[in-house]
Amino acid sequence: MHSLARATCTALVLTLTACGGGGGGGSGTGTTTSTLSAAAQIGEKLFNEPLLSSTGSQSCASCHDKSNHHAAPDTRSVPAGADPGHEAGRQAPSLQYLKFNTPFFFDKDGTPTGGFTWDGRAASFAEQAAGPLLNPNEMANLSVEDVVAKLKRSTHAAEFRRVFGDDILERPTEAFTRLQYALQQYQQEDPDFAPFSSKFDLWQAGKAQLSAAELRGWSLFNDPNKGNCAACHVSSGVNGNPPLFTDNTYDVLGVPRNLEIAANADPAYYDLGLCGPTRTDLASRSDLCGAFRVPSLRNVAKTAPYFHNGAIKTLTDAVRFYVRRDTHPEEWYPTDSNGVVQKFNDLPAAYQRNVNTTEAPYNRSRGGTPALDETEVADLVSFLGTLTDGYTP
């Protein structure tokens, strides 16, 4: 196992199709160009507007910082919420390259695929945007009406009206839908969300050379008996795009429990990804408990900490976890009073059978030889560093 007429625009918001504003003017092209549509331009401003949070202190950019590849700007396990004492339940992933994703579906083999957010519950950028705005542990607005009232008071209200209609802010439900659409179009259209400007991309184009260590890492990345990273983080291009380094499926990795997350102080609480508690439509699918979306590895060297709960703090340790989880579990999991390693301790015992233990590099026994030695781990980390955008030869 490896996220027009007013009625028409509202419907199209969730299908990644561009449509014009209500009566004010401006229309989107739905393409990635150097010139943003009117909707994308106001979307960029609102993406960076902290007034849209409960305390006026947090914007979308607070957790998805443009200067850090639209990922979290710090190394906290999970972002702090707008209201004091609150925090998001999961690590803030980069928003880059998500424009190539699809709504969630099960493929012909029954493999969960696509969707936005770590559990894929959002079908588009637009739907994803609503989550933080209304989440009491994130931007903490009380309602759609609450968000629109803040938008109405912002310095962007006049431009929002010009794009979506003079009376749009008097209709909160429709205004919120337009806000979602604007945020979506910004992420769809702005080239910064998919620059393909890494050393890897230049190497693929014959404009840069990888070092010996990076080349060895590239080989280990693709070797099915060594790193086997490409099994989920696909290293070949798809649909005419350069490699995205994800197959957009889901995997159960058995990542250690992170006690830095406040919710985990309750020993009865578990974040089970696809089967809940945040996502509810797959609650009966016990076989999916513990599964989280496979993210792109582009810019992975700059977006620590790692995994949905931020439990692993460095890229080197993330690679080590993959290859030493089963051979040396005591390095990653606590032991009980009898000295027994509590492997897969962030999953209830009934769901630990879901953990991926069949593919390399997991298919090893305790005390055995890891699939990669320390030199090979370093080489693989060197290669992963070539996926950072903004490379200058």
Side-chain angles (χ1 to χ4, degrees):
M1 180 174 63
H2 306 309
S3 83
L4 286 101
R6 291 175 186 148
T8 302
C9 186
T10 300
L12 291 180
V13 161
L14 300 182
T15 64
L16 303 185
T17 303
C19 58
S27 62
T29 63
T31 60
T32 300
T33 66
S34 59
T35 302
L36 302 185
S37 68
Q41 289 178 48
I42 187 64
E44 179 177 13
K45 293 168 185 173
L46 294 172
F47 187 91
N48 291 281
E49 178 52 78
L51 182 64
L52 296 185
S53 66
S54 61
T55 59
S57 62
Q58 188 176 72
S59 68
C60 301
S62 298
C63 297
H64 302 286
D65 187 353
K66 181 176 181 177
S67 66
N68 193 37
H69 310 285
H70 290 101
D74 54 41
T75 57
R76 290 174 55 101
S77 294
V78 295
D83 288 351
H86 291 257
E87 66 180 16
R90 294 170 180 162
Q91 187 258 353
S94 171
L95 298 179
Q96 287 189 319
Y97 301 98
L98 280 176
K99 64 184 292 179
F100 302 106
N101 203 353
T102 66
F104 182 85
F105 68 100
F106 287 96
D107 73 6
K108 60 182 176 60
D109 298 318
T111 302
T113 306
F116 295 73
T117 70
W118 281 105
D119 58 19
R121 67 190 184 279
S124 67
F125 277 130
E127 191 172 329
Q128 180 185 32
L133 286 165
L134 299 173
N135 188 326
N137 291 314
E138 297 185 53
M139 297 175 77
N141 291 291
L142 299 176
S143 64
V144 165
E145 290 76 12
D146 189 20
V147 176
V148 175
K150 292 181 173 68
L151 174 55
K152 198 172 183 178
R153 296 195 301 270
S154 79
T155 58
H156 310 299
E159 182 177 355
F160 195 84
R161 289 188 178 100
R162 285 197 299 273
V163 175
F164 294 115
D166 291 339
D167 63 343
I168 186 64
L169 293 176
E170 309 311 316
R171 303 191 305 277
T173 300
E174 293 182 50
F176 188 80
T177 299
R178 301 305 195 279
L179 168 60
Q180 291 177 270
Y181 174 71
L183 292 169
Q184 171 180 273
Q185 289 310 108
Y186 167 50
Q187 295 172 80
Q188 280 286 106
E189 296 178 26
D190 193 317
D192 282 341
F193 284 95
F196 293 110
S197 60
S198 69
K199 184 178 184 179
F200 172 84
D201 294 304
L202 271 65
W203 173 59
Q204 293 270 283
K207 298 178 181 179
Q209 293 296 319
L210 298 190
S211 70
E214 291 164 349
L215 286 169
R216 290 194 299 269
W218 169 242
S219 178
L220 293 166
F221 186 96
N222 291 289
D223 189 332
N225 297 310
K226 298 293 285 183
N228 197 30
C229 312
C232 294
H233 299 282
V234 180
S235 58
S236 56
V238 179
N239 296 327
N241 297 310
L244 298 175
F245 293 96
T246 179
D247 60 4
N248 290 312
T249 62
Y250 292 74
D251 208 351
V252 186
L253 299 178
V255 178
R257 192 170 181 86
N258 186 356
L259 294 179
E260 294 177 4
I261 298 175
N264 285 341
D266 178 0
Y269 174 81
Y270 292 95
D271 186 352
L272 299 176
L274 283 180
C275 79
T278 305
R279 182 168 184 161
T280 58
D281 61 317
L282 298 175
S284 64
R285 290 289 305 271
S286 61
D287 58 314
L288 300 179
C289 289
F292 292 88
R293 190 174 63 83
V294 174
S296 170
L297 293 183
R298 285 183 172 271
N299 299 302
V300 69
K302 300 295 185 180
T303 55
Y306 299 102
F307 305 107
H308 71 279
N309 63 357
I312 307 296
K313 305 305 182 185
T314 71
L315 184 55
T316 296
D317 275 346
V319 175
R320 285 182 180 135
F321 172 74
Y322 279 105
V323 300
R324 297 176 69 86
R325 184 198 73 183
D326 299 289
T327 61
H328 296 77
E330 68 280 0
E331 296 177 356
W332 312 103
Y333 304 100
T335 56
D336 65 15
S337 58
N338 296 315
V340 177
V341 177
Q342 303 301 291
K343 195 175 179 183
F344 308 146
N345 68 323
D346 204 26
L347 283 172
Y351 303 136
Q352 291 180 8
R353 64 179 181 274
N354 295 342
V355 177
N356 187 343
T357 58
T358 58
E359 296 177 300
Y362 315 121
N363 56 348
R364 310 238 168 176
S365 301
R366 186 174 185 182
T369 302
L372 304 179
D373 62 28
E374 282 296 293
T375 298
E376 292 171 321
V377 166
D379 287 342
L380 183 48
V381 170
S382 293
F383 167 70
L384 293 173
T386 71
L387 303 182
T388 302
D389 284 315
Y391 177 74
T392 300

